[in-house]
Amino acid sequence: KFIGIVEFSVSRTEEIEISVTNMVGTTYIIQNKQNFGAGTHLFNLSEMELSKGMYIVQIRIGSDTIHQKLVVQ
């Protein structure tokens, strides 16, 4: 089933880590820390076996962190 796609862009090579955490605190690592070159990058969340519910997607780009809510229905 389609869950969603995480898209992010970086202007230079950056260390990226992406994780998804459910509301009880279980964290699923999608991408461990890895260097990504400049440009736009996509990660398909549909490959994860996520149950219905609310999750927080966390993207760490260098020293910055972005959080976004994800609802799986």
Side-chain angles (χ1 to χ4, degrees):
K1 72 180 175 183
F2 179 76
I3 294 176
I5 294 175
V6 172
E7 178 179 354
F8 61 91
S9 297
V10 291
S11 59
R12 63 180 189 276
T13 299
E14 292 279 3
E15 186 176 79
I16 307 291
E17 181 178 26
I18 302 172
S19 62
V20 176
T21 304
N22 64 19
M23 293 296 106
V24 295
T26 303
T27 298
Y28 308 89
I29 300 295
I30 300 173
Q31 178 63 53
N32 284 321
K33 291 180 183 177
Q34 181 179 344
N35 286 329
F36 284 82
T40 300
H41 303 275
L42 302 172
F43 282 92
N44 187 348
L45 298 176
S46 298
E47 297 174 7
M48 299 182 68
E49 295 182 17
L50 297 176
S51 301
K52 291 180 180 180
M54 191 176 343
Y55 298 84
I56 300 297
V57 178
Q58 178 174 285
I59 305 171
R60 290 185 186 158
I61 302 173
S63 60
D64 296 324
T65 303
I66 300 166
H67 295 92
Q68 186 160 9
K69 183 172 70 171
L70 169 69
V71 177
V72 177
Q73 299 183 356

